[in-house]
Amino acid sequence: MSARRPIYFNPAAANARCDPRDIHGLKEFHQSLPNYAPTPLTPVPELAKELGVRAVFVKDESDRFGLPAFKVLGASWGCYRAVTAHLGLPPTVSLDELSARVKDASITLIAATEGNHGRAVAFIARLLDSRADIFVPRSMDESTQQLIGSEGAQVIVVQGDYDQAVQEAADAAQALDGGILVQDTAFDGYEDIPAWIVEGYSTMMMEVDEQIAKEGLQCNVVVTPVGVGSLAHAVARHCKSRDAPISVVAAEPDSAPCLHSSLRSGKPVTVQTSPTIMDGMNCGTVSTTAWSDLERFVDACVTISSHECHAAVEYLATKSIKAGPCGAASLATLKRLAVTEEAQTLLNKDSVVVLLSTEGPRPYPIPKEVSIEDTVGLTQILTTINSSNPSLSLTDGAGENQIANYLAAWFTHRGIEHHWIETVSGRPSIVGVLRGSGGGKSLMFNGHIDTVSLSSYEKDPLSGTLGEKDGRQVVLGRGSLDMKGGLAAALAAVSAAKASGNILRGDVIVAAVSDEEDASQGTRDLLAAGWRADAAVVPEPTMGKVVTAHKGFLWVEIDILGVAAHGSNPAAGQDAILDAGWFLRALEQYQQQLPVDDVLGPASLHCGLIQGGEEPSSYPAKCTITVEFRTIPCQTQESILSDLKNLLKGIVQENPKFRYSEPRATMFRPTQKLATDHPFVERALACATAVLGNTPQVSSAPFWCDAALLSEVGIPSIVYGPRGDGLHSKEEWVEVESLQQQENVYRRLIEDFCQ
């Protein structure tokens, strides 16, 4: 059983019918536009043979009136009808006459877009010699914005998503005298123009009827992309008004399943969207005018990943069909549908399938595969993504955006709820939640997605390849061990738990957090946002041990003060660096008195940095020493600062000329200590023993990690992760067998703890 979001099937749609619409003047209008010609309907016999159907055709919309998408069909008719209605003219007036009237009326056409709709509105505005203001979401790439602007439009970037762009466009149209909103998204009080846009797409379907009839065939299935649902609405009404009705299959991105979610809910719902290469389909809300017909007439709704779509783009290219991601979405959908048992109700040896390829080729980032379920494959993919911490690297670190986007796509592919947390720009964390039925305990896996710098790595730090070390198979690359392998094991365990079909009562949370290697921004953001669990596992590389305790740390800066003077004038100067020796000697004596913990052993300190002076020929006025304390539970920031103040006062009693500034803490992280007989520790050990056949060693760890922050807010936490080598060094790897073991233990723990 797969963990991915299931296909929605609606058997009742097979018998649903609607009356045909006679859209007066539509086809004649489109034929009056410059360079009108029907777009090609291209057969793909190899695909038909592969799928076991009679025929597959691709309706290629890569060039419609010189634009690379079908959108101009709806946008042109919508603009034409909206402007004629605004001016009180009949919908039979010629374009030349309408253009003359538009110029006198100072009309501005306004739209929001993910790309092609806005460009199409701008194209028609240019034909009518009117102004166009096109609102776009901030996620739109610069090249797409330039294409819209090349049609003469003013492009306005909104600091939000597509839905926010629609709202701002609507507000602008209402505020502007002569402003007309031409939007394919309907909402309360705005329904006529979206309905006209839907009508405009009917020309494409009329062309399909004529073209397929020339082949001596009759279409049985149409696969259509879905954004807000306007095209799908036109397709559905056309298909269900035929004497021999046609099955309608809707295609949506994993990352924007607004129709799929609405169909499953039985009512329109707005969904959170995340980045996809199918930009024009990246919509969170179904058009209100489309919803009721789509609910009745869509036979199946399929969600696809960006990677599946990319593969479809490449396949169509081998058949000399030029398609962008939104265009290839129909093919990716058909391929996914064809391998399901339920597809037999829609596809058989007599089926004639038409795929609507709605846009031509365009540049897009090559997506990574999100269907990977196994720990090793996930570790490899995560390792290939540069997520080096920008606040650590001498060279620019990439930050966590790219890996967070991948994880968002991974969760959405499976229909797993996820949340994006980003309080510091460019440093996001992702929280995935497999919701339980209620009444059970919640379990959190907290894994950081940043790595240390790539510059110290000897070979390819982003290889993610399989290799061999000491006779063991390993995954190589920066972060493979620290700690993308442990995170991958947690992700794979959650996916397996979802695929099993066993309903858990408690929630399983995967917090993929930023910045652990430096300031733990991600986990601090997570906790500040209110995320909690009944217990947590931090899958840092513990070499298979269960770690219940580790030291905290405190960084303290102390300024030893001197007096600046020329090196030739000792009477006027006081050497701050030389005086720092008094502090260092006292600190060494203090070190001998540090407390000892029964589990963690002795506390420790060291001087990590010393900075002073400006030039050899001058007495230094200041020497700054940074001391790191590795702390145990009996030590606090306040107690250590108090000790240092007393130490400094003691030096002054010996040397009245000794001067200093108050010690200041620059970073503090608490200790982690969970009793080895805590019920969660015992439960984790029992699960590990059942899977491995032996009980892991329980120990403390020399390093610090985010488990301490979780424990500080009352979440009992253990640190437990895979084996490997090369932490922060020139070559890093994680053992394959260890990854697989961790996944199995985590899955057992999920089933046991969250039941």
Side-chain angles (χ1 to χ4, degrees):
M1 185 175 177
S2 173
R4 75 178 297 183
R5 183 185 290 111
I7 295 173
Y8 174 85
F9 287 96
N10 177 21
N15 298 314
R17 300 287 185 275
C18 65
D19 294 330
R21 286 180 176 173
D22 181 16
I23 307 170
H24 181 68
L26 172 64
K27 194 170 184 183
E28 292 77 10
F29 166 75
H30 282 142
Q31 289 173 335
S32 73
L33 295 176
N35 303 314
Y36 168 79
T39 53
L41 187 71
T42 305
V44 191
E46 301 90 346
L47 180 60
K49 183 178 180 180
E50 175 190 332
L51 300 180
V53 298
R54 184 174 182 182
V56 176
F57 293 89
V58 176
K59 181 64 169 169
D60 181 359
E61 292 288 318
S62 60
D63 184 2
R64 177 70 79 168
F65 300 116
L67 296 180
F70 79 104
K71 287 281 190 178
V72 68
L73 288 174
S76 61
W77 183 245
C79 289
Y80 174 77
R81 291 299 306 274
V83 173
T84 54
H86 181 82
L87 297 176
L89 299 173
T92 55
V93 64
S94 71
L95 278 176
D96 289 340
E97 183 179 349
L98 185 61
S99 178
R101 295 291 297 272
V102 164
K103 190 179 297 184
D104 295 337
S106 299
I107 285 174
T108 300
L109 299 180
I110 299 173
T113 187
E114 285 279 5
N116 287 318
H117 173 73
R119 187 177 177 188
V121 170
F123 169 78
I124 296 301
R126 184 162 56 81
L127 285 182
L128 295 175
D129 203 19
S130 75
R131 176 179 157 187
D133 290 348
I134 308 300
F135 289 73
V136 304
R138 65 181 176 185
S139 59
M140 180 179 288
D141 60 86
E142 185 67 29
S143 62
T144 303
Q145 293 181 37
Q146 290 174 356
L147 288 170
I148 296 170
S150 70
E151 300 293 341
Q154 179 183 3
V155 178
I156 300 155
V157 179
V158 170
Q159 295 308 304
D161 60 9
Y162 171 78
D163 287 347
Q164 181 65 32
V166 171
Q167 183 60 57
E168 294 196 20
D171 293 343
Q174 190 171 20
L176 182 64
D177 186 28
I180 301 176
L181 180 68
V182 182
Q183 197 61 47
D184 52 0
T185 305
F187 45 85
D188 289 343
Y190 183 77
E191 296 176 340
D192 288 344
I193 293 174
W196 291 329
I197 291 173
V198 171
E199 288 179 355
Y201 298 142
S202 298
T203 292
M204 185 200 311
M205 297 309 299
M206 288 188 278
E207 290 177 358
V208 169
D209 287 344
E210 294 170 359
Q211 291 168 317
I212 213 156
K214 290 179 181 178
E215 301 287 339
L217 298 171
Q218 185 170 342
C219 179
N220 307 110
V221 179
V222 173
V223 186
T224 177
V226 176
V228 296
S230 298
L231 172 61
H233 190 196
V235 171
R237 287 201 62 88
H238 181 87
C239 290
K240 298 304 182 180
S241 66
R242 307 295 302 273
D243 292 335
I246 299 170
S247 297
V248 178
V249 178
E252 286 192 292
D254 280 336
S255 55
C258 59
L259 177 59
H260 189 281
S261 300
S262 298
L263 290 171
R264 293 195 67 182
S265 300
K267 61 182 180 180
V269 296
T270 296
V271 300
Q272 171 192 13
T273 65
S274 54
T276 173
I277 62 172
M278 294 164 273
D279 293 344
M281 300 163 66
N282 193 22
C283 305
T285 307
V286 179
S287 174
T288 57
T289 54
W291 163 247
S292 60
D293 283 342
L294 293 176
E295 184 182 27
R296 287 192 298 145
F297 299 148
V298 168
D299 295 82
C301 185
V302 182
T303 62
I304 55 170
S305 70
S306 288
H307 189 269
E308 288 171 312
C309 188
H310 169 64
V313 169
E314 293 189 315
Y315 179 89
L316 289 175
T318 66
K319 308 303 177 187
S320 301
I321 299 173
K322 300 176 181 178
C326 293
S330 296
L331 172 57
T333 293
L334 178 63
K335 287 197 166 190
R336 185 185 173 199
L337 176 69
V339 298
T340 64
E341 292 182 9
E342 298 91 338
Q344 296 174 5
T345 62
L346 301 174
L347 301 173
N348 56 55
K349 62 182 178 61
D350 297 319
S351 295
V352 175
V353 183
V354 172
L355 305 176
L356 301 184
S357 178
T358 54
E359 70 170 354
R362 58 177 172 81
Y364 59 86
I366 305 302
K368 294 184 181 293
E369 176 64 85
V370 294
S371 66
I372 302 298
E373 305 268 300
D374 71 284
T375 306
V376 177
L378 268 171
T379 301
Q380 290 184 270
I381 283 187
L382 293 177
T383 303
T384 65
I385 302 173
N386 184 356
S387 57
S388 51
N389 193 312
S391 56
L392 285 180
S393 307
L394 294 176
T395 55
D396 290 339
E400 295 88 356
N401 266 325
Q402 188 181 353
I403 195 167
N405 281 331
Y406 174 81
L407 290 171
W410 190 90
F411 285 126
T412 56
H413 187 67
R414 291 155 181 79
I416 296 176
E417 172 190 336
H418 72 279
H419 303 264
W420 184 284
I421 304 175
E422 185 176 5
T423 65
V424 176
S425 180
R427 309 306 303 274
S429 300
I430 291 287
V431 183
V433 187
L434 182 62
R435 289 289 178 191
S437 60
K441 292 183 178 180
S442 58
L443 178 63
M444 177 188 291
F445 293 91
N446 179 290
H448 68 83
I449 52 179
D450 63 319
T451 73
V452 295
S453 172
L454 307 186
S455 60
S456 60
Y457 206 88
E458 197 167 72
K459 298 179 181 178
D460 179 6
L462 303 176
S463 70
T465 55
L466 292 174
E468 188 175 302
K469 294 292 180 181
D470 300 325
R472 295 164 294 176
Q473 194 174 32
V474 299
V475 178
L476 295 154
R478 173 65 77 219
S480 58
L481 180 63
D482 185 19
M483 60 177 294
K484 293 176 178 180
L487 177 61
L491 291 167
V494 170
S495 183
K498 183 177 187 295
S500 71
N502 296 328
I503 304 300
L504 302 170
R505 292 192 300 141
D507 298 341
V508 187
I509 303 165
V510 180
V513 296
S514 64
D515 193 41
E516 189 273 348
E517 294 288 3
D518 184 20
S520 293
Q521 185 69 47
T523 293
R524 291 190 291 123
D525 288 345
L526 174 85
L527 297 175
W531 288 96
R532 297 293 186 273
D534 291 305
V537 177
V538 178
E540 290 275 11
T542 61
M543 311 305 148
K545 299 176 183 178
V546 173
V547 169
T548 60
H550 64 71
K551 293 177 181 177
F553 67 90
L554 172 67
W555 295 349
V556 181
E557 286 184 350
I558 303 97
D559 293 331
I560 310 302
L561 305 177
V563 177
H566 194 280
S568 64
N569 188 6
Q574 183 173 343
D575 191 333
I577 294 176
L578 200 58
D579 285 352
W582 286 79
F583 172 71
L584 295 175
R585 284 192 298 272
L587 192 67
E588 188 175 18
Q589 293 174 0
Y590 171 71
Q591 185 180 30
Q592 308 305 315
Q593 306 165 15
L594 290 174
V596 178
D597 182 79
D598 60 338
V599 173
L600 293 168
S604 66
L605 66 82
H606 70 277
C607 294
L609 289 172
I610 184 165
Q611 297 172 309
E614 296 181 3
E615 58 203 9
S617 61
S618 297
Y619 277 82
K622 184 171 72 173
C623 178
T624 301
I625 299 172
T626 301
V627 184
E628 180 183 72
F629 293 82
R630 290 287 167 161
T631 61
I632 59 177
C634 67
Q635 294 174 293
T636 65
Q637 176 176 318
E638 292 73 20
S639 71
I640 291 174
L641 289 176
S642 176
D643 286 350
L644 289 176
K645 289 174 185 177
N646 291 333
L647 181 151
L648 290 162
K649 288 177 183 177
I651 296 173
V652 173
Q653 290 178 350
E654 285 189 64
N655 178 8
K657 291 184 177 181
F658 181 82
R659 296 189 306 127
Y660 62 90
S661 65
E662 287 288 296
R664 55 191 178 274
T666 60
M667 183 177 288
F668 173 71
R669 293 291 180 264
T671 57
Q672 151 73 0
K673 190 175 182 183
L674 188 65
T676 56
D677 61 353
H678 188 282
F680 181 60
V681 177
E682 293 180 339
R683 210 158 186 173
L685 289 172
C687 290
T689 302
V691 171
L692 303 175
N694 56 76
T695 303
Q697 179 183 344
V698 179
S699 70
S700 61
F703 55 77
W704 187 91
C705 73
D706 283 352
L709 297 179
L710 301 175
S711 295
E712 190 177 38
V713 297
I715 305 173
S717 304
I718 62 170
V719 190
Y720 179 40
R723 299 183 301 271
D725 203 357
L727 290 168
H728 297 201
S729 67
K730 63 183 181 180
E731 187 177 38
E732 182 178 349
W733 67 86
V734 62
E735 292 181 17
V736 164
E737 182 183 19
S738 180
L739 288 173
Q740 294 165 337
Q741 290 173 342
Q742 293 297 144
E743 176 190 345
N744 292 333
V745 173
Y746 294 162
R747 182 178 175 185
R748 182 69 174 254
L749 183 59
I750 288 169
E751 293 169 347
D752 179 76
F753 191 77
C754 302
Q755 64 182 351

